[in-house]
Amino acid sequence: MVALWRQSHGLCQSSCQCSLTSDSIRKYHGTGVAMPEKHLSLIAVPTTAGTGSEVTCVSVLSDHANGKKAPIVSEGFYPAAAIIDPELTYTMPPQVTAGTGIDVLSHAIEGYWSKGHQPICDVLAMHAAELVFKYVYRAYRKPDDEEAREKMCEASLIAGLAFTLPKTTSSHACSFPLTNIYHIPHGEACGLTLDYFIRINAKGEGGERVEEFARRIGFKDAEEMADAVLELKKKMGLRCDLKDLELNDDQIAELVRISRHPNLYNNPVEITDEMLDEMYRYLAGK
């Protein structure tokens, strides 16, 4: 038996989902080929408060040899058991706390506005987002803050439940080229465009849902929520633009092309190449 290892963000390296096959994982990585149904059971032990992998069917893998980072979705990735111990997150460096925390927020917000949204996931998304806004900066500033660490673990798990059925959307679609090409950590790459897409989705078809989400978690409107996301990124030292990369026209065009990931089509507003081009030029300071 050759094991296919699942090493998702937030899972310790000893955790795996093993498939009873001799296939290379590359057969399934971003190809659309379904994973085999038979597999060994997975026990998930998160060491970050980020992806909620312990309650999702999604695994994000990095193929360093081919410069590829992409998700695989499989029913077999749902763990048989998950052990959530906030103390395991105490040693996360502040930047990892910030990046994984903004990923939680992306999961919650994107799961809510996804075309596949549904009532139960909506409630979970609002709960998770409210926790992130309240506790992520505390966890960033004081790593041993027991309450903040516990609440961020709660937010991560709840956000995982909130997005695993509706799926993520625009920010996650754009995160893949940003990570693959420019090595921006996944959560930070998602957060980079999150406030931008909040503003876009609030003004487009279904925008009233985005406005309702913002109000129900304590903001005046979606614009204020987007400002709060931007402010969080600034306070935690996360990327707010791409100016330091000095992107040229060809590099921006490449980002636009690769951002047409399937997740982009879950977004409530149709995101055109022109919109992506405008966004990347704005982030690049052009």
Side-chain angles (χ1 to χ4, degrees):
M1 181 189 78
V2 177
L4 297 183
W5 288 81
R6 178 201 185 196
Q7 293 182 334
S8 293
H9 301 287
L11 298 186
C12 60
Q13 291 189 350
S14 62
S15 297
C16 69
Q17 189 272 350
C18 299
S19 178
L20 308 180
T21 176
S22 59
D23 294 341
S24 166
I25 193 64
R26 289 192 174 96
K27 177 178 178 179
Y28 309 98
H29 191 209
T31 63
V33 177
M35 289 283 289
E37 291 185 11
K38 290 186 178 180
H39 60 276
L40 299 182
S41 296
L42 168 68
I43 297 175
V45 185
T47 56
T48 69
T51 65
S53 294
E54 67 275 10
V55 290
T56 78
C57 59
V58 183
S59 176
V60 180
L61 302 178
S62 294
D63 181 348
H64 296 292
N66 293 309
K68 179 180 180 181
K69 184 169 188 175
I72 304 176
V73 178
S74 170
E75 292 293 310
F77 286 159
Y78 283 115
I83 300 171
I84 316 299
D85 183 354
E87 289 190 25
L88 297 179
T89 69
Y90 286 10
T91 56
M92 276 197 296
Q95 285 307 106
V96 176
T97 296
T100 56
I102 211 74
D103 194 24
V104 175
L105 190 59
S106 297
H107 289 157
I109 294 176
E110 291 180 72
Y112 184 91
W113 69 36
S114 171
K115 287 181 179 178
H117 68 84
Q118 50 188 279
I120 293 175
C121 294
D122 287 352
V123 174
L124 295 173
M126 286 185 283
H127 179 68
E130 193 170 5
L131 288 176
V132 175
F133 279 117
K134 185 174 182 179
Y135 290 104
V136 69
Y137 187 60
R138 276 177 53 178
Y140 169 81
R141 283 291 303 274
K142 190 178 179 183
D144 59 353
D145 184 324
E146 294 183 8
E147 182 183 29
R149 288 300 195 189
E150 179 182 344
K151 292 300 184 180
M152 283 306 300
C153 284
E154 179 183 339
S156 178
L157 187 151
I158 295 296
L161 294 171
F163 88 85
T164 191
L165 295 179
K167 303 297 183 284
T168 54
T169 66
S170 45
S171 287
H172 269 71
C174 293
S175 77
F176 296 121
L178 291 169
T179 297
N180 286 333
I181 302 171
Y182 299 106
H183 311 295
I184 300 172
H186 172 74
E188 188 169 16
C190 291
L192 178 62
T193 62
L194 183 59
D195 48 306
Y196 195 95
F197 282 117
I198 289 173
R199 301 183 207 278
I200 286 178
N201 288 333
K203 295 174 183 175
E205 183 176 353
E208 65 279 358
R209 278 182 49 79
V210 184
E211 294 288 356
E212 179 187 23
F213 181 91
R215 288 193 297 270
R216 292 185 69 174
I217 66 170
F219 295 102
K220 179 180 68 176
D221 53 27
E223 192 72 19
E224 185 176 82
M225 181 172 71
D227 289 343
V229 173
L230 181 59
E231 181 62 22
L232 259 183
K233 292 191 296 182
K234 289 178 178 177
K235 289 197 301 184
M236 296 192 297
L238 294 173
R239 273 186 176 272
C240 297
D241 59 54
L242 299 169
K243 293 176 182 178
D244 61 303
L245 300 180
E246 299 181 349
L247 300 176
N248 60 38
D249 290 345
D250 289 341
Q251 290 171 313
I252 289 174
E254 181 181 37
L255 282 172
V256 170
R257 178 177 60 81
I258 303 177
S259 293
R260 300 221 71 84
H261 184 275
N263 289 42
L264 192 66
Y265 301 95
N266 296 331
N267 199 70
V269 173
E270 180 183 358
I271 304 298
T272 65
D273 284 354
E274 290 73 23
M275 293 166 73
L276 289 171
D277 182 79
E278 181 180 348
M279 179 187 73
Y280 283 124
R281 287 186 181 278
Y282 169 79
L283 293 171
K286 290 185 173 290

Short mmCIF file of all heavy atoms in Angstrom, two decimals, residues 155-213:
data_model
loop_
_atom_site.label_atom_id
_atom_site.label_comp_id
_atom_site.label_asym_id
_atom_site.label_seq_id
_atom_site.Cartn_x
_atom_site.Cartn_y
_atom_site.Cartn_z
N ALA A 155 -14.01 29.94 16.07
CA ALA A 155 -14.32 30.62 14.82
C ALA A 155 -13.84 29.81 13.62
O ALA A 155 -14.54 29.70 12.60
CB ALA A 155 -13.68 32.00 14.80
N SER A 156 -12.65 29.25 13.73
CA SER A 156 -12.09 28.47 12.63
C SER A 156 -12.95 27.25 12.31
O SER A 156 -13.28 26.99 11.14
CB SER A 156 -10.67 28.02 12.99
OG SER A 156 -10.12 27.22 11.97
N LEU A 157 -13.33 26.51 13.35
CA LEU A 157 -14.17 25.32 13.15
C LEU A 157 -15.54 25.70 12.59
O LEU A 157 -16.02 25.08 11.63
CB LEU A 157 -14.30 24.58 14.48
CG LEU A 157 -15.00 23.22 14.43
CD1 LEU A 157 -14.46 22.31 15.54
CD2 LEU A 157 -16.52 23.34 14.58
N ILE A 158 -16.15 26.73 13.19
CA ILE A 158 -17.48 27.14 12.74
C ILE A 158 -17.44 27.66 11.31
O ILE A 158 -18.34 27.37 10.50
CB ILE A 158 -18.06 28.22 13.69
CG1 ILE A 158 -18.28 27.64 15.09
CG2 ILE A 158 -19.36 28.80 13.14
CD1 ILE A 158 -19.30 26.54 15.16
N ALA A 159 -16.40 28.41 10.95
CA ALA A 159 -16.28 28.90 9.58
C ALA A 159 -16.05 27.75 8.61
O ALA A 159 -16.51 27.80 7.46
CB ALA A 159 -15.13 29.90 9.48
N GLY A 160 -15.35 26.71 9.07
CA GLY A 160 -15.19 25.52 8.22
C GLY A 160 -16.54 24.90 7.88
O GLY A 160 -16.80 24.53 6.73
N LEU A 161 -17.41 24.80 8.88
CA LEU A 161 -18.77 24.30 8.64
C LEU A 161 -19.57 25.25 7.75
O LEU A 161 -20.42 24.83 6.97
CB LEU A 161 -19.50 24.12 9.97
CG LEU A 161 -18.95 23.04 10.91
CD1 LEU A 161 -19.64 23.12 12.27
CD2 LEU A 161 -19.11 21.66 10.30
N ALA A 162 -19.27 26.55 7.86
CA ALA A 162 -20.03 27.55 7.11
C ALA A 162 -19.72 27.54 5.62
O ALA A 162 -20.57 27.89 4.81
CB ALA A 162 -19.76 28.95 7.68
N PHE A 163 -18.50 27.15 5.24
CA PHE A 163 -18.15 27.23 3.82
C PHE A 163 -18.04 25.88 3.11
O PHE A 163 -18.05 25.84 1.88
CB PHE A 163 -16.84 28.00 3.62
CG PHE A 163 -15.58 27.16 3.70
CD1 PHE A 163 -15.10 26.48 2.58
CD2 PHE A 163 -14.85 27.06 4.87
CE1 PHE A 163 -13.95 25.71 2.64
CE2 PHE A 163 -13.69 26.31 4.95
CZ PHE A 163 -13.25 25.62 3.82
N THR A 164 -17.96 24.78 3.87
CA THR A 164 -17.67 23.51 3.20
C THR A 164 -18.76 23.09 2.22
O THR A 164 -18.48 22.48 1.20
CB THR A 164 -17.39 22.40 4.23
OG1 THR A 164 -16.85 21.26 3.54
CG2 THR A 164 -18.66 22.00 4.98
N LEU A 165 -20.02 23.43 2.49
CA LEU A 165 -21.09 23.13 1.53
C LEU A 165 -21.27 24.23 0.48
O LEU A 165 -21.31 23.94 -0.71
CB LEU A 165 -22.41 22.86 2.28
CG LEU A 165 -22.41 21.61 3.17
CD1 LEU A 165 -23.76 21.47 3.86
CD2 LEU A 165 -22.12 20.36 2.34
N PRO A 166 -21.37 25.51 0.87
CA PRO A 166 -21.54 26.57 -0.14
C PRO A 166 -20.30 26.78 -1.01
O PRO A 166 -20.39 27.23 -2.14
CB PRO A 166 -21.82 27.83 0.69
CG PRO A 166 -22.25 27.33 2.03
CD PRO A 166 -21.52 26.05 2.24
N LYS A 167 -19.11 26.49 -0.46
CA LYS A 167 -17.81 26.69 -1.11
C LYS A 167 -17.39 28.16 -1.09
O LYS A 167 -18.21 29.06 -0.97
CB LYS A 167 -17.80 26.16 -2.55
CG LYS A 167 -18.17 24.69 -2.66
CD LYS A 167 -17.16 23.81 -1.96
CE LYS A 167 -17.46 22.32 -2.11
NZ LYS A 167 -18.55 21.82 -1.30
N THR A 168 -16.08 28.37 -1.20
CA THR A 168 -15.55 29.73 -1.23
C THR A 168 -15.69 30.34 -2.63
O THR A 168 -16.09 29.66 -3.57
CB THR A 168 -14.07 29.74 -0.80
OG1 THR A 168 -13.33 28.83 -1.61
CG2 THR A 168 -13.94 29.38 0.66
N THR A 169 -15.32 31.61 -2.76
CA THR A 169 -15.64 32.33 -3.99
C THR A 169 -14.43 33.11 -4.53
O THR A 169 -13.37 32.54 -4.75
CB THR A 169 -16.83 33.28 -3.74
OG1 THR A 169 -16.44 34.30 -2.80
CG2 THR A 169 -18.02 32.55 -3.16
N SER A 170 -14.62 34.41 -4.72
CA SER A 170 -13.66 35.25 -5.43
C SER A 170 -12.31 35.39 -4.73
O SER A 170 -11.26 35.26 -5.38
CB SER A 170 -14.28 36.63 -5.65
OG SER A 170 -14.91 37.10 -4.47
N SER A 171 -12.30 35.67 -3.46
CA SER A 171 -11.02 35.89 -2.77
C SER A 171 -10.16 34.63 -2.79
O SER A 171 -8.94 34.70 -2.96
CB SER A 171 -11.25 36.35 -1.33
OG SER A 171 -11.70 37.68 -1.30
N HIS A 172 -10.78 33.49 -2.62
CA HIS A 172 -10.01 32.25 -2.68
C HIS A 172 -9.54 31.96 -4.10
O HIS A 172 -8.43 31.47 -4.30
CB HIS A 172 -10.83 31.08 -2.12
CG HIS A 172 -10.63 30.87 -0.65
ND1 HIS A 172 -11.12 31.73 0.30
CD2 HIS A 172 -9.95 29.91 0.03
CE1 HIS A 172 -10.77 31.31 1.51
NE2 HIS A 172 -10.05 30.20 1.37
N ALA A 173 -10.37 32.25 -5.08
CA ALA A 173 -9.96 32.03 -6.47
C ALA A 173 -8.71 32.84 -6.80
O ALA A 173 -7.77 32.35 -7.44
CB ALA A 173 -11.10 32.40 -7.42
N CYS A 174 -8.69 34.08 -6.33
CA CYS A 174 -7.54 34.95 -6.61
C CYS A 174 -6.34 34.60 -5.74
O CYS A 174 -5.20 34.98 -6.09
CB CYS A 174 -7.93 36.41 -6.39
SG CYS A 174 -9.15 37.03 -7.58
N SER A 175 -6.56 33.91 -4.66
CA SER A 175 -5.44 33.60 -3.76
C SER A 175 -4.48 32.59 -4.38
O SER A 175 -3.28 32.61 -4.09
CB SER A 175 -5.97 33.04 -2.44
OG SER A 175 -6.37 31.69 -2.55
N PHE A 176 -4.99 31.70 -5.22
CA PHE A 176 -4.14 30.63 -5.74
C PHE A 176 -2.99 31.14 -6.60
O PHE A 176 -1.84 30.75 -6.38
CB PHE A 176 -4.98 29.58 -6.46
CG PHE A 176 -5.96 28.88 -5.53
CD1 PHE A 176 -7.31 28.92 -5.77
CD2 PHE A 176 -5.51 28.21 -4.41
CE1 PHE A 176 -8.21 28.30 -4.91
CE2 PHE A 176 -6.40 27.59 -3.53
CZ PHE A 176 -7.75 27.63 -3.79
N PRO A 177 -3.22 32.02 -7.59
CA PRO A 177 -2.06 32.55 -8.32
C PRO A 177 -1.15 33.41 -7.46
O PRO A 177 0.07 33.42 -7.65
CB PRO A 177 -2.69 33.37 -9.46
CG PRO A 177 -4.08 33.67 -9.01
CD PRO A 177 -4.49 32.48 -8.19
N LEU A 178 -1.72 34.14 -6.51
CA LEU A 178 -0.90 34.97 -5.64
C LEU A 178 0.05 34.12 -4.80
O LEU A 178 1.20 34.50 -4.54
CB LEU A 178 -1.78 35.82 -4.73
CG LEU A 178 -2.57 36.93 -5.42
CD1 LEU A 178 -3.61 37.52 -4.47
CD2 LEU A 178 -1.64 38.03 -5.93
N THR A 179 -0.42 32.95 -4.41
CA THR A 179 0.42 32.03 -3.65
C THR A 179 1.37 31.26 -4.56
O THR A 179 2.56 31.13 -4.28
CB THR A 179 -0.44 31.05 -2.84
OG1 THR A 179 -1.21 31.78 -1.88
CG2 THR A 179 0.42 30.04 -2.09
N ASN A 180 0.85 30.74 -5.66
CA ASN A 180 1.66 29.92 -6.56
C ASN A 180 2.80 30.71 -7.19
O ASN A 180 3.92 30.22 -7.30
CB ASN A 180 0.79 29.32 -7.67
CG ASN A 180 -0.08 28.18 -7.19
OD1 ASN A 180 0.26 27.51 -6.22
ND2 ASN A 180 -1.20 27.97 -7.84
N ILE A 181 2.51 31.94 -7.62
CA ILE A 181 3.50 32.72 -8.36
C ILE A 181 4.36 33.57 -7.44
O ILE A 181 5.59 33.62 -7.59
CB ILE A 181 2.81 33.62 -9.41
CG1 ILE A 181 1.97 32.77 -10.38
CG2 ILE A 181 3.84 34.45 -10.18
CD1 ILE A 181 1.09 33.59 -11.31
N TYR A 182 3.71 34.22 -6.45
CA TYR A 182 4.44 35.19 -5.63
C TYR A 182 4.64 34.73 -4.18
O TYR A 182 5.15 35.49 -3.36
CB TYR A 182 3.72 36.54 -5.68
CG TYR A 182 3.69 37.07 -7.10
CD1 TYR A 182 2.51 37.04 -7.85
CD2 TYR A 182 4.85 37.54 -7.71
CE1 TYR A 182 2.49 37.49 -9.17
CE2 TYR A 182 4.83 37.99 -9.03
CZ TYR A 182 3.66 37.95 -9.74
OH TYR A 182 3.65 38.37 -11.05
N HIS A 183 4.23 33.50 -3.90
CA HIS A 183 4.50 32.86 -2.60
C HIS A 183 3.93 33.64 -1.41
O HIS A 183 4.50 33.62 -0.32
CB HIS A 183 6.01 32.63 -2.44
CG HIS A 183 6.65 31.97 -3.61
ND1 HIS A 183 6.33 30.68 -3.99
CD2 HIS A 183 7.54 32.43 -4.53
CE1 HIS A 183 7.02 30.35 -5.08
NE2 HIS A 183 7.75 31.40 -5.43
N ILE A 184 2.82 34.32 -1.64
CA ILE A 184 2.12 34.98 -0.55
C ILE A 184 1.36 33.89 0.22
O ILE A 184 0.60 33.12 -0.38
CB ILE A 184 1.14 36.04 -1.07
CG1 ILE A 184 1.90 37.11 -1.87
CG2 ILE A 184 0.36 36.69 0.06
CD1 ILE A 184 1.00 38.10 -2.61
N PRO A 185 1.54 33.79 1.54
CA PRO A 185 0.85 32.74 2.30
C PRO A 185 -0.65 32.74 2.03
O PRO A 185 -1.26 33.80 1.84
CB PRO A 185 1.17 33.12 3.75
CG PRO A 185 2.47 33.84 3.67
CD PRO A 185 2.41 34.63 2.38
N HIS A 186 -1.23 31.56 2.05
CA HIS A 186 -2.62 31.39 1.61
C HIS A 186 -3.60 32.34 2.28
O HIS A 186 -4.35 33.04 1.60
CB HIS A 186 -3.06 29.94 1.86
CG HIS A 186 -4.52 29.71 1.62
ND1 HIS A 186 -5.07 29.65 0.36
CD2 HIS A 186 -5.55 29.56 2.49
CE1 HIS A 186 -6.37 29.47 0.46
NE2 HIS A 186 -6.69 29.41 1.74
N GLY A 187 -3.61 32.36 3.61
CA GLY A 187 -4.58 33.22 4.31
C GLY A 187 -4.38 34.68 3.97
O GLY A 187 -5.34 35.43 3.75
N GLU A 188 -3.13 35.10 3.94
CA GLU A 188 -2.81 36.48 3.61
C GLU A 188 -3.24 36.81 2.19
O GLU A 188 -3.74 37.91 1.91
CB GLU A 188 -1.32 36.73 3.77
CG GLU A 188 -0.91 38.17 3.63
CD GLU A 188 0.53 38.42 4.05
OE1 GLU A 188 1.30 37.42 4.16
OE2 GLU A 188 0.89 39.58 4.28
N ALA A 189 -3.08 35.84 1.27
CA ALA A 189 -3.49 36.04 -0.12
C ALA A 189 -5.00 36.17 -0.23
O ALA A 189 -5.52 36.97 -1.03
CB ALA A 189 -2.99 34.88 -0.99
N CYS A 190 -5.74 35.41 0.57
CA CYS A 190 -7.21 35.53 0.58
C CYS A 190 -7.63 36.89 1.13
O CYS A 190 -8.49 37.57 0.57
CB CYS A 190 -7.83 34.42 1.43
SG CYS A 190 -7.67 32.77 0.73
N GLY A 191 -7.02 37.27 2.24
CA GLY A 191 -7.36 38.54 2.86
C GLY A 191 -7.01 39.74 2.02
O GLY A 191 -7.65 40.80 2.13
N LEU A 192 -6.02 39.59 1.14
CA LEU A 192 -5.57 40.71 0.31
C LEU A 192 -6.71 41.31 -0.50
O LEU A 192 -6.82 42.53 -0.65
CB LEU A 192 -4.45 40.24 -0.62
CG LEU A 192 -3.90 41.27 -1.61
CD1 LEU A 192 -3.28 42.45 -0.89
CD2 LEU A 192 -2.90 40.62 -2.54
N THR A 193 -7.59 40.47 -1.03
CA THR A 193 -8.68 40.96 -1.89
C THR A 193 -10.04 40.97 -1.19
O THR A 193 -11.03 41.37 -1.80
CB THR A 193 -8.80 40.08 -3.16
OG1 THR A 193 -9.12 38.74 -2.77
CG2 THR A 193 -7.49 40.06 -3.94
N LEU A 194 -10.09 40.54 0.07
CA LEU A 194 -11.39 40.36 0.73
C LEU A 194 -12.18 41.66 0.83
O LEU A 194 -13.37 41.71 0.47
CB LEU A 194 -11.19 39.76 2.13
CG LEU A 194 -12.47 39.45 2.90
CD1 LEU A 194 -13.37 38.47 2.15
CD2 LEU A 194 -12.12 38.90 4.30
N ASP A 195 -11.55 42.73 1.31
CA ASP A 195 -12.28 44.00 1.44
C ASP A 195 -12.68 44.55 0.08
O ASP A 195 -13.74 45.17 -0.07
CB ASP A 195 -11.46 45.02 2.22
CG ASP A 195 -10.03 45.16 1.74
OD1 ASP A 195 -9.32 44.13 1.67
OD2 ASP A 195 -9.60 46.28 1.44
N TYR A 196 -11.84 44.30 -0.94
CA TYR A 196 -12.15 44.75 -2.30
C TYR A 196 -13.43 44.06 -2.79
O TYR A 196 -14.33 44.71 -3.32
CB TYR A 196 -10.98 44.42 -3.23
CG TYR A 196 -11.02 45.14 -4.55
CD1 TYR A 196 -10.33 46.34 -4.76
CD2 TYR A 196 -11.74 44.62 -5.62
CE1 TYR A 196 -10.37 47.00 -5.98
CE2 TYR A 196 -11.78 45.27 -6.85
CZ TYR A 196 -11.09 46.46 -7.02
OH TYR A 196 -11.13 47.11 -8.25
N PHE A 197 -13.52 42.74 -2.58
CA PHE A 197 -14.70 42.00 -3.05
C PHE A 197 -15.93 42.28 -2.19
O PHE A 197 -17.06 42.17 -2.68
CB PHE A 197 -14.41 40.50 -3.12
CG PHE A 197 -13.60 40.12 -4.33
CD1 PHE A 197 -12.34 39.56 -4.20
CD2 PHE A 197 -14.10 40.32 -5.60
CE1 PHE A 197 -11.59 39.21 -5.31
CE2 PHE A 197 -13.37 39.97 -6.73
CZ PHE A 197 -12.11 39.41 -6.59
N ILE A 198 -15.74 42.63 -0.92
CA ILE A 198 -16.90 43.04 -0.11
C ILE A 198 -17.57 44.24 -0.77
O ILE A 198 -18.80 44.29 -0.92
CB ILE A 198 -16.47 43.39 1.33
CG1 ILE A 198 -16.09 42.13 2.11
CG2 ILE A 198 -17.61 44.13 2.06
CD1 ILE A 198 -15.49 42.41 3.49
N ARG A 199 -16.77 45.20 -1.19
CA ARG A 199 -17.32 46.41 -1.82
C ARG A 199 -17.99 46.08 -3.16
O ARG A 199 -19.06 46.62 -3.47
CB ARG A 199 -16.20 47.44 -2.00
CG ARG A 199 -15.54 47.85 -0.69
CD ARG A 199 -14.48 48.94 -0.92
NE ARG A 199 -13.44 48.91 0.11
CZ ARG A 199 -13.53 49.47 1.30
NH1 ARG A 199 -14.64 50.09 1.65
NH2 ARG A 199 -12.52 49.41 2.17
N ILE A 200 -17.37 45.21 -3.94
CA ILE A 200 -17.96 44.83 -5.23
C ILE A 200 -19.28 44.11 -5.03
O ILE A 200 -20.30 44.43 -5.67
CB ILE A 200 -16.98 43.93 -6.03
CG1 ILE A 200 -15.82 44.77 -6.59
CG2 ILE A 200 -17.71 43.22 -7.17
CD1 ILE A 200 -14.79 43.94 -7.34
N ASN A 201 -19.30 43.12 -4.15
CA ASN A 201 -20.49 42.30 -3.97
C ASN A 201 -21.63 43.07 -3.30
O ASN A 201 -22.81 42.77 -3.52
CB ASN A 201 -20.16 41.05 -3.18
CG ASN A 201 -19.36 40.04 -3.99
OD1 ASN A 201 -19.46 40.00 -5.21
ND2 ASN A 201 -18.55 39.24 -3.32
N ALA A 202 -21.30 44.06 -2.49
CA ALA A 202 -22.34 44.86 -1.84
C ALA A 202 -23.07 45.75 -2.83
O ALA A 202 -24.22 46.14 -2.61
CB ALA A 202 -21.73 45.71 -0.74
N LYS A 203 -22.41 46.05 -3.95
CA LYS A 203 -22.99 46.96 -4.94
C LYS A 203 -23.64 46.23 -6.11
O LYS A 203 -24.29 46.85 -6.95
CB LYS A 203 -21.91 47.91 -5.47
CG LYS A 203 -21.35 48.85 -4.41
CD LYS A 203 -20.18 49.65 -4.96
CE LYS A 203 -19.58 50.54 -3.87
NZ LYS A 203 -18.36 51.26 -4.34
N GLY A 204 -23.46 44.91 -6.17
CA GLY A 204 -23.97 44.15 -7.30
C GLY A 204 -25.21 43.36 -6.98
O GLY A 204 -25.87 43.58 -5.95
N GLU A 205 -25.52 42.42 -7.85
CA GLU A 205 -26.69 41.56 -7.66
C GLU A 205 -26.56 40.79 -6.35
O GLU A 205 -25.53 40.18 -6.07
CB GLU A 205 -26.82 40.59 -8.83
CG GLU A 205 -28.05 39.71 -8.76
CD GLU A 205 -28.19 38.82 -9.98
OE1 GLU A 205 -27.40 38.99 -10.93
OE2 GLU A 205 -29.09 37.97 -9.98
N GLY A 206 -27.58 40.82 -5.54
CA GLY A 206 -27.54 40.15 -4.23
C GLY A 206 -26.84 40.96 -3.18
O GLY A 206 -26.56 40.46 -2.08
N GLY A 207 -26.55 42.23 -3.47
CA GLY A 207 -25.84 43.08 -2.54
C GLY A 207 -26.54 43.27 -1.21
O GLY A 207 -25.89 43.52 -0.19
N GLU A 208 -27.85 43.11 -1.21
CA GLU A 208 -28.59 43.29 0.03
C GLU A 208 -28.20 42.23 1.07
O GLU A 208 -28.25 42.49 2.27
CB GLU A 208 -30.10 43.26 -0.22
CG GLU A 208 -30.66 41.93 -0.71
CD GLU A 208 -30.48 41.71 -2.20
OE1 GLU A 208 -29.94 42.60 -2.90
OE2 GLU A 208 -30.88 40.62 -2.68
N ARG A 209 -27.80 41.05 0.61
CA ARG A 209 -27.35 40.01 1.54
C ARG A 209 -26.05 40.41 2.21
O ARG A 209 -25.84 40.16 3.41
CB ARG A 209 -27.16 38.68 0.81
CG ARG A 209 -28.47 37.90 0.61
CD ARG A 209 -28.21 36.57 -0.08
NE ARG A 209 -27.14 35.81 0.52
CZ ARG A 209 -27.26 35.08 1.64
NH1 ARG A 209 -28.42 35.03 2.28
NH2 ARG A 209 -26.23 34.41 2.10
N VAL A 210 -25.15 41.03 1.47
CA VAL A 210 -23.88 41.46 2.03
C VAL A 210 -24.12 42.57 3.05
O VAL A 210 -23.52 42.59 4.13
CB VAL A 210 -22.92 41.95 0.92
CG1 VAL A 210 -21.55 42.30 1.51
CG2 VAL A 210 -22.77 40.88 -0.17
N GLU A 211 -25.04 43.48 2.71
CA GLU A 211 -25.38 44.57 3.64
C GLU A 211 -26.00 44.00 4.92
O GLU A 211 -25.69 44.44 6.04
CB GLU A 211 -26.34 45.55 2.97
CG GLU A 211 -25.75 46.32 1.80
CD GLU A 211 -24.74 47.38 2.22
OE1 GLU A 211 -24.54 47.58 3.44
OE2 GLU A 211 -24.12 47.98 1.33
N GLU A 212 -26.88 43.02 4.77
CA GLU A 212 -27.53 42.40 5.93
C GLU A 212 -26.49 41.71 6.81
O GLU A 212 -26.52 41.82 8.04
CB GLU A 212 -28.57 41.39 5.47
CG GLU A 212 -29.27 40.68 6.63
CD GLU A 212 -30.19 39.56 6.17
OE1 GLU A 212 -29.99 39.04 5.06
OE2 GLU A 212 -31.08 39.20 6.95
N PHE A 213 -25.55 41.01 6.18
CA PHE A 213 -24.49 40.33 6.92
C PHE A 213 -23.72 41.33 7.77
O PHE A 213 -23.49 41.10 8.97
CB PHE A 213 -23.55 39.63 5.93
CG PHE A 213 -22.42 38.86 6.57
CD1 PHE A 213 -22.56 37.52 6.89
CD2 PHE A 213 -21.20 39.47 6.85
CE1 PHE A 213 -21.53 36.80 7.47
CE2 PHE A 213 -20.16 38.77 7.43
CZ PHE A 213 -20.32 37.44 7.74
#
